[in-house]
């Protein structure tokens, strides 16, 4: 069974610090990796996606992928209170179907 | 940008009744839509893939006779929860891919279903 694992948290980070979110996946055939942010009672919104090994930066967000270790992470620099949410890692194995992790609840402390 | 509209946002119903949830692509055509279910503090679980003009593809363990999916047009997919029971209470979310990029998957706003 394909699995995506995340630490459920909660993860508390002081405002202005770097938040680091981690995700591991079991399917070596996975091709695409996504990070979504979900506020309580709302649907997910895409933050980052990454396909290739290495780092990908977009503003305050950096996604890191290591396919050999089956590991993907999201770094949030200069954390803001508005970043407080649940972050979902999702993995796609080439058929447009996403498998989601259970999410990590992040709280930014002012 | 592309928008996926989902209606209703929330619904409360009595046990045994049926509930229909609509998912519309507002400014693009969606030959495929995905239906997810999310229980509190749990992950989104894919229920089925809705295909325009053909039968939906259901994930293992999802009862196709209980969760009826109709994708009759390129802009509308519906999920009907038949004979709903309290254990069906959940957050239901639809999504649709836009274009060919795998990153272009837009989600509806979700429907919170509460079955009494």
């Amino acid at each position: 069974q394909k699995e995506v694992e995340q630490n459920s948290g909660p993860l508390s980070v002081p405002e202005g610090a770097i938040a680091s979110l981690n995700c591991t996946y079991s399917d070596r055939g996975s091709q695409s990796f996504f990070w979504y942010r979900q506020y309580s009672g709302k649907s997910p919104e895409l933050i980052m996606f990454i396909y290739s090994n290495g780092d990908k930066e977009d503003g305050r967000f950096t996604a890191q992928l290591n396919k050999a270790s089956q590991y993907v992470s999201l770094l949030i620099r200069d954390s803001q209170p508005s970043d407080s949410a649940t972050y979902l890692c999702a993995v796609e194995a080439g058929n447009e179907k996403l498998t989601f992790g259970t999410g990590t609840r992040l709280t930014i402390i002012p | 940008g592309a928008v996926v509209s989902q209606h209703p946002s929330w619904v409360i119903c009595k046990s045994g009744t049926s509930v229909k949830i609509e998912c519309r692509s507002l400014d693009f055509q969606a030959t495929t839509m995905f239906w997810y279910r999310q229980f509190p503090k749990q992950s989104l679980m894919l229920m089925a893939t809705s295909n325009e003009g053909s039968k939906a593809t259901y994930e293992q363990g999802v009862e196709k006779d209980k969760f009826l999916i109709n994708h009759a047009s390129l802009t509308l997919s519906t999920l009907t929860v038949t004979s709903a029971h309290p254990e069906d209470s959940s957050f239901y979310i639809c999504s649709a891919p836009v274009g060919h990029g795998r990153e272009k998957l837009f989600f509806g706003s979700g429907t919170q279903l509460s079955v009494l």
Side-chain angles (χ1 to χ4, degrees):
Chain A
Q1 183 174 349
K2 301 174 185 177
E3 293 182 348
V4 178
E5 300 285 344
Q6 292 181 257
N7 187 326
S8 62
L11 174 66
S12 297
V13 173
E15 183 176 358
I18 296 175
S20 177
L21 306 165
N22 304 316
C23 172
T24 58
Y25 58 95
S26 62
D27 184 5
R28 284 196 170 275
S30 300
Q31 299 180 8
S32 308
F33 307 87
F34 304 83
W35 282 100
Y36 287 86
R37 178 174 62 198
Q38 186 178 27
Y39 294 110
S40 181
K42 304 295 183 181
S43 61
E45 55 179 319
L46 182 65
I47 298 295
M48 291 281 291
F49 61 90
I50 186 167
Y51 301 147
S52 304
N53 277 328
D55 294 0
K56 179 181 179 182
E57 185 175 321
D58 184 1
R60 296 187 295 114
F61 300 94
T62 298
Q64 300 174 317
L65 174 62
N66 184 325
K67 289 187 177 181
S69 300
Q70 296 176 239
Y71 173 91
V72 59
S73 66
L74 179 70
L75 300 178
I76 306 175
R77 290 182 298 280
D78 187 24
S79 298
Q80 303 297 311
S82 59
D83 294 328
S84 297
T86 296
Y87 289 80
L88 302 171
C89 173
V91 173
E92 187 225 354
N95 57 4
E96 290 190 327
K97 294 182 180 180
L98 296 183
T99 300
F100 285 84
T102 53
T104 297
R105 187 156 54 93
L106 173 66
T107 300
I108 305 302
I109 304 170
Chain B
V3 176
V4 175
S5 174
Q6 187 172 343
H7 178 81
S9 298
W10 57 270
V11 59
I12 300 173
C13 69
K14 294 182 178 180
S15 184
T17 61
S18 294
V19 175
K20 180 185 283 188
I21 302 171
E22 293 187 348
C23 183
R24 293 181 184 273
S25 57
L26 295 186
D27 52 2
F28 66 99
Q29 294 181 334
T31 56
T32 300
M33 290 186 179
F34 301 101
W35 287 95
Y36 292 86
R37 178 169 55 183
Q38 186 179 33
F39 292 107
K41 296 186 179 180
Q42 294 190 23
S43 179
L44 275 75
M45 297 299 296
L46 180 64
M47 299 176 64
T49 302
S50 172
N51 304 298
E52 187 271 334
S54 64
K55 293 182 178 180
T57 304
Y58 290 81
E59 296 300 303
Q60 189 174 5
V62 178
E63 300 176 57
K64 62 179 181 180
D65 294 330
K66 180 170 182 64
F67 298 100
L68 301 179
I69 291 175
N70 187 316
H71 196 150
S73 77
L74 287 171
T75 59
L76 174 64
S77 174
T78 61
L79 168 67
T80 301
V81 183
T82 62
S83 186
H85 290 281
E87 57 265 30
D88 298 323
S89 299
S90 184
F91 192 52
Y92 292 85
I93 311 173
C94 68
S95 69
V98 179
H100 300 290
R102 292 187 290 274
E103 68 276 12
K104 300 185 186 304
L105 185 66
F106 288 88
F107 284 86
S109 55
T111 298
Q112 182 63 54
L113 171 63
S114 297
V115 184
L116 304 178

